[in-house]
Amino acid sequence: MEINSLRLLLAFFAGIFLTSSGSLSQNTTQNSLASPSTLGFDAMAVFAVLVSHGLLTLFNLNIELTHFSFLIFNACFLLTFLCLKGISLKSAQLDMKIIILIGLGFNLFIGAIFSVVQFLFIATNTKFPTGLWFGSFKFYQAIELLPFICVFLLLIIFLYKNLSSLRLISIGIPFAKGVGVEVAKTQRRSLFVAYYLTGVVICYFGVFSFISLVFPHILRLLPFIKSDMRKEFTIGALIGGLIMMLLDFLVYNFDFYGAELPVGMISSVLGSFMLISLLGRNYFKSLQK
Amino acid sequence: MVSIQQKNFFTVNSTSVDLNFTLHQAKLNILMGRNGIGKSTFFNRLKESKILDFSVAFMDQFPLCPISEYQVQDLFQIILEECNGVISQKEVELRYDLKIDDLLLKNINYLSGGEQQRVKLFCTLMLNREAVFLDEPFQYLDVESVMVFKNIFKNLIKENKTVLIIEHDKSLIEEFDSHFIHMREERDKIEVINGD
């Protein structure tokens, strides 16, 4: 068996980022079924990749798609910032219903046009990033560590300054407001960090479905984490990173008829089953109550 | 006695709300008004504003519904670790004679209405602020719990804390030395003023 340290390190970061972005999305929106996908962050990253690919093809530019996508994604940050600022004007908390509606709508829109754009590119015999929907660490580069380290530092700084507020918000937004937490400010910061955590992974390695949605729930089932938000964001994120590393290690060393399965494909299949079982478990628990 | 005056403090259904009332420390302050006038919204705005120059612990109507499976003891642990100047669970039990041991291991999402009220009041008391503002604290309570809550309010008043409650049922508060504050509509605005 082979161990590719750099690739595993990138997978580790990706696991940390996706797990943390899921925890942040759920805590900030006070909705356990929230994820960067429902908030439209996945769609924004995919949009950035599509636009980058289009521009690179149109102008025949010799720039790496991954780096250019992340650049476009950063440009889209301004648009997202203005939307969130507009939604929270004169309010001590963000209107999460509007944010989720916009996010879901944008998600569906991007999903729809992706197929159309893919068809057009293939019909015109133009290269297209078909592997985008099933993320993989196959085509990694050492230089990609740099943006990952920057986003990791962003996460560390954010948690250092805001973990206390996040814990109080996790009790409930009215309670957090009552004890003086600047709820809207914390929510905006959380969403921006979740935006970048998701975006950097998708721009460089593609979409890994269900990880951000399901991993936080799995972490909360673990007896040494349970309802401790501090442990969810620290130990939990590290566990997410380790699981991603393990998945990548397995696909790298065990191919399927000579082909390497994308980690994103495995996460889609496993994640969907886990989600159904979690929902079923919660349903039966509520019946017992 | 604290006087609170502010024009156009917030708006309810496009109607501005002016404040011109006092709060007494030695009495139970009671905010009354018709349903839908905006009493709970007024409390929410007080939470967000800097109009009060003393610290306040709020107990609102909203149920506690954390997304994680918190037990009641987890909630108290978070308050102890993340809030300043709080008092411990044991101290609350001693000072106010409010027992909570039977609920400590219960999941917050599965508490009954009355149990939620007890937990919310316990959290409010743990915060140990100079004032306590409560939105309909007696709702969902059984007769015994109403007595317990009344005794707690008496203790808070004895401690010189400012206590303000929203309450519709005067029979629940007739044993208190009360100061009434009314929220009512006057022509094209709503006023929060001292009442009889």
Side-chain angles (χ1 to χ4, degrees):
Chain A
M1 291 206 199
E2 287 178 53
I3 292 179
N4 188 325
S5 314
L6 178 59
R7 177 170 160 161
L8 285 177
L9 183 61
L10 288 166
F12 180 65
F13 274 130
I16 289 175
F17 291 175
L18 292 173
T19 308
S20 301
S21 71
S23 293
L24 279 174
S25 303
Q26 289 171 10
N27 187 50
T28 304
T29 60
Q30 291 280 286
N31 186 332
S32 57
L33 291 179
S35 70
S37 181
T38 48
L39 296 173
F41 297 163
D42 282 17
M44 189 61 88
V46 168
F47 175 73
V49 173
L50 288 178
V51 168
S52 310
H53 191 74
L55 290 173
L56 289 175
T57 308
L58 201 62
F59 297 107
N60 211 18
L61 299 170
N62 191 19
I63 305 171
E64 274 291 332
L65 175 63
T66 50
H67 300 309
F68 198 51
S69 301
F70 193 50
L71 193 68
I72 300 289
F73 182 75
N74 277 299
C76 294
F77 168 83
L78 184 60
L79 178 67
T80 314
F81 173 82
L82 289 172
C83 280
L84 282 179
K85 195 82 179 161
I87 288 163
S88 71
L89 274 175
K90 290 187 184 176
S91 173
Q93 69 187 78
L94 301 185
D95 192 333
M96 284 303 162
K97 280 182 201 158
I98 294 180
I99 290 172
I100 290 174
L101 274 173
I102 293 173
L104 273 174
F106 189 61
N107 217 18
L108 291 169
F109 171 69
I110 294 296
I113 67 164
F114 183 88
S115 306
V116 172
V117 170
Q118 185 177 14
F119 172 77
L120 288 172
F121 269 79
I122 291 170
T124 54
N125 273 331
T126 314
K127 194 177 154 199
F128 185 79
T130 48
L132 180 60
W133 281 126
F134 293 120
S136 160
F137 300 102
K138 212 166 148 182
F139 305 106
Y140 66 97
Q141 294 174 44
I143 194 159
E144 282 156 7
L145 260 181
L146 187 57
F148 273 70
I149 288 171
C150 291
V151 174
F152 183 67
L153 288 173
L154 172 70
L155 176 63
I156 300 288
I157 293 167
F158 166 78
L159 287 176
Y160 177 73
K161 286 178 171 285
N162 295 279
L163 193 53
S164 186
S165 300
L166 286 174
R167 285 187 90 199
L168 290 167
I169 287 174
S170 74
I171 296 173
I173 285 173
F175 180 85
K177 277 205 272 186
V179 296
V181 173
E182 290 178 322
V183 171
K185 198 173 170 184
T186 309
Q187 285 176 318
R188 269 200 304 273
R189 286 178 183 177
S190 302
L191 292 178
F192 288 140
V193 171
Y195 178 85
Y196 267 101
L197 292 172
T198 313
V200 73
V201 174
I202 292 177
C203 287
Y204 283 97
F205 298 115
V207 177
F208 297 86
S209 301
F210 288 105
I211 289 180
S212 300
L213 174 58
V214 171
F215 269 22
H217 286 276
I218 292 170
L219 293 174
R220 288 173 207 141
L221 292 175
L222 299 172
F224 53 89
I225 291 181
K226 268 188 131 176
S227 51
D228 191 331
M229 189 126 289
R230 282 178 307 190
K231 288 184 184 167
E232 185 176 321
F233 278 110
T234 51
I235 302 171
L238 291 174
I239 291 173
L242 289 171
I243 292 174
M244 195 68 125
M245 262 175 70
L246 177 66
L247 284 174
D248 189 56
F249 174 78
L250 290 172
V251 301
Y252 183 66
N253 285 285
F254 299 99
D255 55 53
F256 185 75
Y257 289 95
E260 184 183 307
L261 281 174
V263 173
M265 189 181 285
I266 296 173
S267 73
S268 291
V269 173
L270 288 178
S272 51
F273 279 119
M274 281 182 198
L275 179 64
I276 292 167
S277 62
L278 280 169
L279 290 172
R281 177 184 170 270
N282 286 343
Y283 174 71
F284 286 117
K285 236 180 154 186
S286 68
L287 284 180
Q288 278 169 11
K289 179 217 162 188
Chain B
M1 197 170 77
V2 174
S3 179
I4 296 169
Q5 291 173 329
Q6 173 102 12
K7 281 204 181 301
N8 202 20
F9 178 59
F10 70 104
T11 54
V12 174
N13 298 328
S14 310
T15 310
S16 75
V17 179
D18 296 343
L19 311 183
N20 186 12
F21 65 96
T22 52
L23 289 170
H24 294 251
Q25 274 175 321
K27 297 183 179 181
L28 181 67
N29 301 279
I30 299 148
L31 175 64
M32 300 188 97
R34 66 162 179 83
N35 287 337
I37 198 167
K39 300 184 294 297
S40 298
T41 310
F42 169 53
F43 260 32
N44 277 331
R45 291 292 182 267
L46 278 178
K47 274 188 210 176
E48 299 155 13
S49 76
K50 307 258 188 260
I51 193 178
L52 304 168
D53 54 8
F54 48 86
S55 60
V56 184
F58 288 91
M59 177 179 147
D60 53 38
Q61 281 190 11
F62 303 106
L64 293 166
C65 46
I67 57 160
S68 294
E69 303 244 317
Y70 282 142
Q71 292 175 335
V72 173
Q73 62 183 3
D74 298 327
L75 177 60
F76 296 159
Q77 188 66 21
I78 292 174
I79 293 171
L80 272 173
E81 289 171 3
E82 304 299 347
C83 298
N84 296 324
V86 301
I87 56 177
S88 67
Q89 179 197 325
K90 289 279 171 241
E91 209 174 325
V92 170
E93 285 175 356
L94 279 168
R95 263 206 224 177
Y96 303 106
D97 197 22
L98 177 61
K99 299 285 176 250
I100 205 86
D101 289 336
D102 57 318
L103 299 179
L104 283 178
L105 297 178
K106 276 196 165 189
N107 187 317
I108 290 174
N109 289 309
Y110 301 150
L111 294 175
S112 69
E115 288 171 340
Q116 278 255 352
Q117 290 295 90
R118 277 170 61 201
V119 170
K120 277 159 51 180
L121 181 62
F122 206 95
C123 293
T124 308
L125 296 171
M126 277 181 79
L127 292 172
N128 194 32
R129 302 279 161 90
E130 293 168 292
V132 179
F133 289 7
L134 308 108
D135 190 350
E136 300 198 42
F138 296 112
Q139 63 178 345
Y140 307 121
L141 295 183
D142 55 38
V143 171
E144 194 185 320
S145 299
V146 166
M147 291 309 304
V148 169
F149 272 45
K150 283 183 182 179
N151 287 332
I152 290 170
F153 296 157
K154 286 174 186 165
N155 283 336
L156 287 168
I157 292 167
K158 273 189 203 160
E159 286 179 2
N160 247 359
K161 292 191 197 278
T162 305
V163 182
L164 169 64
I165 70 170
I166 294 176
E167 186 52 58
H168 298 286
D169 188 350
K170 282 190 180 176
S171 67
L172 287 169
I173 37 144
E174 46 190 20
E175 67 200 74
F176 288 93
D177 183 11
S178 309
H179 165 66
F180 289 90
I181 301 163
H182 288 284
M183 192 167 178
R184 60 184 184 199
E185 280 152 311
E186 287 289 327
R187 289 186 190 178
D188 57 349
K189 61 181 178 187
I190 295 172
E191 290 181 321
V192 182
I193 53 175
N194 293 323
D196 295 331

